[in-house]
Amino acid sequence: MATDTVYLLNGPNLNLLGQREPEIYGHATLADIEAQSKKRAKELGFGLEFRQSNAEGTLVDWVQEADAKAVGLIINPGGYTHTSIALLDALAAASLPKIELHLSNIHTREEFRQKSVTASAVDGIIAGFGAPGYRLALEALKSLVESRTT
Ligand code: CA2
């Protein structure tokens, strides 16, 4: 695998994007977002490993895999954002540049969504920009990766 690969991981229910709750999550499907992300990643000089899982352990495995194989990680942990100590531990153990990403602004939503369990283990957070947030996250990751290597 090329050394410039970044992992973009999506958590539970994000496979449903575009099908319900468009007022919160927009009309783009995850396949739309993947295509847009792949295009922007290529422009930034990254190869992109774009994945989605509903399973907490699989996401933990992928965070560990990213740390071994990639130059950076973007993760939308979905509902696990608010509950998962396992993901927090995996992210904390991973030394590569990391960004947490949310489609919605979790801080303006229900109280239980306003706390991110995972956020303390990442370098930065992007939330509230909808699907374009994926592009913003890739651009922010580019800056993080460059600042680590220059
Ligand atoms: O805003 C985000 O990106 C979230 O990570 C999305 C998660 C939610 O649990 C977080 O609090 C914030 C949920 C994604 C579920 O997406 C759906 C999309 C369409 C229909 C149903 C769920």
Side-chain angles (χ1 to χ4, degrees):
M1 188 176 289
T3 53
D4 60 354
T5 296
V6 302
Y7 275 45
L8 205 169
L9 304 181
N10 295 277
N13 297 306
L14 286 159
N15 55 312
L16 300 176
L17 281 179
Q19 296 175 29
R20 284 188 286 125
E21 302 193 70
E23 66 287 357
I24 300 174
Y25 298 119
H27 291 279
T29 65
L30 197 61
D32 295 334
I33 292 174
E34 179 174 3
Q36 292 158 9
S37 299
K38 286 233 161 96
K39 180 171 178 290
R40 188 64 186 129
K42 195 172 178 189
E43 290 165 357
L44 293 167
F46 289 140
L48 185 63
E49 196 62 40
F50 189 101
R51 299 182 186 174
Q52 187 274 334
S53 177
N54 294 327
E56 187 177 18
T58 300
L59 292 163
V60 167
D61 286 342
W62 288 347
V63 169
Q64 293 180 6
E65 184 182 312
D67 197 36
K69 296 185 176 173
V71 297
L73 169 68
I74 298 165
I75 184 164
N76 183 344
Y80 292 137
T81 305
H82 318 294
T83 62
S84 179
I85 304 297
L87 260 185
L88 168 66
D89 289 344
L91 288 166
S95 58
L96 79 177
K98 295 157 277 184
I99 292 176
E100 181 171 313
L101 170 64
H102 298 285
L103 292 153
S104 62
N105 181 351
I106 57 175
H107 300 289
T108 62
R109 301 187 61 195
E110 303 96 319
E111 199 174 340
F112 66 86
R113 288 188 207 276
Q114 294 182 19
K115 172 69 185 165
S116 169
V117 167
T118 46
S120 64
V122 297
D123 296 287
I125 303 155
I126 292 173
F129 295 97
Y134 280 70
R135 170 176 54 77
L136 298 174
L138 284 162
E139 291 166 0
L141 190 65
K142 179 76 179 177
S143 298
L144 282 177
V145 170
E146 283 179 348
S147 65
R148 291 245 187 139
T149 51
T150 53

